[in-house]
Amino acid sequence: MKKVFRIIIWVLVAAVFIGTFVFLYNNSKSKETLYGTVKPEKATIERTTVLTGKIEPRDEIEIKPQISGIISEIAVEAGDFVREGDVIAKIKVIPEASQLSSAQSRINNAEIELEDASAKYKRDKALYEKKVISREEYETSEKTWQKAQEELDAARDAYKIVSEGVSQYNASQSNTLVRATITGLVLDVPVKVGSSVIQANTMNDGTTIATVADMNKLIFRGNVDETEVGLLKVGMPMSISIGAMPEMSPSAIIEYISPKGNDQSGANSFEIKAALNIDNSEGLRSGYSANATVCLAKAEDVLSLPESVITFNGDSTFVFVQTDSLPKPVYEQRPVTTGMSDGIKIEIKEGIDSTAIVRGAPINQ
């Protein structure tokens, strides 16, 4: 029994040894690599670049007050459509003490002048009726009295403007009414009722009551790297893709390329603007992120190969062309002249024709 058991053990050891030897021997043998093949074919190759940017209105108008004061009423909110001349807000005037005092002083002086002119006019009228003074003197006195009346009215109106911001002669066009200067969509209303506002002057830009834009006139604003800006020209078309609205792909035309670069995160880029060609801007919002695809160069109906089958060696390019298939494929290295590439396909200018069979990627690895 022990002898049989010993024989079984030796048989197992021998089997493991032989199996290991066969495995190592098979692994040490070089395997023949099999390759796929491709044939050159006609194709249109485009070199494109993608620019990142935003969709913006061509013009965003900031509506500012023509008088300083406090917002007493706001008639619109962001998203409202307004027409030129529509009232956006009303301002309550807080008069300056010095201006108010000056306006009141003008009224007082005007009243004194009118009282004096009125008394003189009455005297001259009585004397004229008695033919004591000439008609010319009477008419001069009358005109002086009329001018004094007008001056008092003007002084009172000036006081009303200073104290209330409203003219008694043109209340509908009061500076206290802030109106839209263009027809468009209200993008932002950065103030609230009770906010103090300042009119624009040489020392201050003034407070923005609202921002209004015509959303029917949109542009793409983006940036292009300095390595590609030289390939862009005003008038070139581009295709726009909007992240928030993937179903919309409007076209655009480049209308501006900045002559000065901006250093952003260590990379020099140039701003570009392109006018969107869009029939319906409904749903589009200012500031939507977008990408613009621009065709930098294009080669139509040219002989091409997958770029992966090209062997690059310095400035030279090669392909392996099949010269025989039996008993096994034989390949010959041939130099080729390449042209435009889109990263997937590359143009073949010289070296092979459309009948060539080119070695592709290995298929048994």
Side-chain angles (χ1 to χ4, degrees), residues 224-276:
V224 60
D225 188 80
E226 64 179 340
T227 59
E228 296 181 330
V229 68
L231 301 175
L232 299 180
K233 294 180 176 60
V234 172
M236 291 179 67
M238 59 171 55
S239 176
I240 306 295
S241 60
I242 303 171
M245 303 181 72
E247 72 283 358
M248 184 178 292
S249 299
S251 61
I253 300 296
I254 297 177
E255 61 180 16
Y256 171 79
I257 303 174
S258 174
K260 182 180 179 181
N262 297 314
D263 188 2
Q264 297 180 346
S265 303
N268 201 25
S269 61
F270 292 78
E271 182 185 59
I272 70 163
K273 297 178 185 177
L276 262 66

Side-chain angles (χ1 to χ4, degrees), residues 319-340:
V319 294
F320 288 88
V321 179
Q322 183 175 300
T323 58
D324 198 356
S325 60
L326 294 175
K328 63 179 181 179
V330 177
Y331 298 99
E332 176 185 85
Q333 185 179 23
R334 291 186 188 176
V336 292
T337 302
T338 58
M340 187 179 302

Side-chain angles (χ1 to χ4, degrees), residues 49-269:
T49 186
V50 177
L51 314 179
T52 58
K54 293 182 178 181
I55 301 299
E56 297 179 358
R58 180 177 296 279
D59 297 306
E60 290 187 16
I61 305 300
E62 294 182 344
I63 309 299
K64 299 180 183 292
Q66 297 179 345
I67 194 170
S68 300
I70 295 176
I71 298 291
S72 61
E73 181 182 338
I74 297 177
V76 299
E77 60 182 19
D80 288 349
F81 180 82
V82 295
R83 297 190 177 279
E84 182 179 353
D86 287 352
V87 175
I88 290 178
K90 294 182 180 180
I91 298 176
K92 178 182 178 182
V93 176
I94 305 299
E96 294 184 5
S98 60
Q99 292 181 343
L100 200 62
S101 176
S102 177
Q104 182 61 57
S105 177
R106 181 181 173 185
I107 291 177
N108 295 337
N109 290 334
E111 288 177 342
I112 293 172
E113 292 293 334
L114 177 60
E115 184 178 355
D116 181 62
S118 179
K120 187 174 186 307
Y121 169 67
K122 290 178 180 179
R123 288 196 305 269
D124 288 350
K125 183 178 181 182
L127 293 174
Y128 174 70
E129 290 174 349
K130 296 178 181 180
K131 297 184 179 182
V132 175
I133 61 174
S134 66
R135 181 180 181 83
E136 183 180 358
E137 289 181 287
Y138 165 69
E139 290 177 348
T140 300
S141 179
E142 183 180 26
K143 289 179 181 178
T144 302
W145 170 65
Q146 290 174 345
K147 287 181 180 180
Q149 285 182 316
E150 291 180 0
E151 172 59 23
L152 179 58
D153 289 341
R156 287 172 176 169
D157 189 55
Y159 182 83
K160 187 176 180 66
I161 292 174
V162 171
S163 59
E164 301 176 15
V166 180
S167 171
Q168 60 183 342
Y169 301 111
N170 196 10
S172 62
Q173 298 298 320
S174 168
N175 289 344
T176 59
L177 300 179
V178 182
R179 299 178 181 273
T181 56
I182 65 168
T183 297
L185 191 71
V186 178
L187 301 182
D188 186 27
V189 182
V191 296
K192 298 180 180 179
V193 172
S195 300
S196 297
V197 295
I198 302 173
Q199 71 181 103
N201 52 52
T202 55
M203 302 296 293
N204 195 299
D205 290 337
T207 306
T208 299
I209 303 295
T211 303
V212 180
D214 184 355
M215 294 300 289
N216 292 318
K217 298 179 180 179
L218 300 173
I219 64 170
F220 169 83
R221 185 194 300 268
N223 292 284
V224 60
D225 188 80
E226 64 179 340
T227 59
E228 296 181 330
V229 68
L231 301 175
L232 299 180
K233 294 180 176 60
V234 172
M236 291 179 67
M238 59 171 55
S239 176
I240 306 295
S241 60
I242 303 171
M245 303 181 72
E247 72 283 358
M248 184 178 292
S249 299
S251 61
I253 300 296
I254 297 177
E255 61 180 16
Y256 171 79
I257 303 174
S258 174
K260 182 180 179 181
N262 297 314
D263 188 2
Q264 297 180 346
S265 303
N268 201 25
S269 61

